[in-house]
Amino acid sequence: MKPEEEQQLIQIAQMYYMENKTQSEIAKELHIHRSTISRLLKLSRQEGIVEITIHGLHDQNFPLENRLKERYHLKYVGVVTCTEGLTRDQRSIILANKTNAYFQTILEDHMVLGFFLGCDPSSSCQSFDQSGPTYPFDVCTLNGWFFRTYSQ
């Protein structure tokens, strides 16, 4: 890459990422078509001029969750990462919090929730967020155990 091409990539990247200008604003200012700006921004990432780091997602399992969704045609997958040294109770709390976050998005009156593989639904039920709307719902494990609970 020629030095003037690299300088142009740096200039465009700085305008876009550091000065928060839109691609249209940069195109107008530099007298370049907007689609060219988009292409040059992509090239600046490919050439290593721009590196994008997302902090705070070290414990997320998006790639695995997406593979599971695609392979098994699922609407939602939540993978929980537990580090070594956690007690069973600590792991249960982490799982219950992830479960609770999902349940809060889907709960409706008289819904039946099923658990399997030896999960204890009581820990998830105990961690339900009580600040939002509440719904009566049934919870059962798929191995036959059943109880009725009402979120209050």
Side-chain angles (χ1 to χ4, degrees), residues 96-114:
N97 288 337
K98 180 81 167 192
T99 304
N100 176 40
Y102 174 63
F103 285 168
Q104 295 304 315
T105 68
I106 64 160
L107 282 178
E108 296 177 11
D109 284 348
H110 308 292
M111 180 176 272
V112 175
L113 304 173

Side-chain angles (χ1 to χ4, degrees), residues 7-96:
Q7 185 59 38
Q8 183 182 40
L9 292 178
I10 292 169
Q11 179 186 19
I12 291 170
Q14 183 173 358
M15 293 171 80
Y16 185 75
Y17 293 107
M18 304 297 288
E19 299 172 21
N20 293 316
K21 292 185 178 181
T22 66
Q23 292 180 21
S24 296
E25 291 170 334
I26 298 167
K28 185 176 182 179
E29 188 173 326
L30 299 179
H31 307 289
I32 300 173
H33 196 273
R34 197 209 56 80
S35 63
T36 302
I37 299 296
S38 178
R39 183 180 57 77
L40 293 173
L41 285 169
K42 182 178 180 181
L43 182 60
S44 70
R45 291 189 303 272
Q46 292 171 341
E47 293 293 323
I49 293 169
V50 172
E51 293 180 2
I52 298 174
T53 304
I54 302 174
H55 297 279
L57 296 180
H58 61 278
D59 63 340
Q60 297 297 325
N61 295 293
F62 296 125
L64 176 58
E65 290 172 351
N66 287 333
R67 285 197 311 270
L68 289 169
K69 276 194 247 183
E70 289 173 15
R71 181 169 185 176
Y72 297 106
H73 309 288
L74 302 170
K75 291 181 182 178
Y76 175 81
V77 172
V79 175
V80 177
T81 302
C82 293
T83 58
E84 289 185 46
L86 294 177
T87 66
R88 180 182 175 137
D89 287 343
Q90 290 170 321
R91 289 191 313 266
S92 291
I93 290 169
I94 292 169
L95 178 60

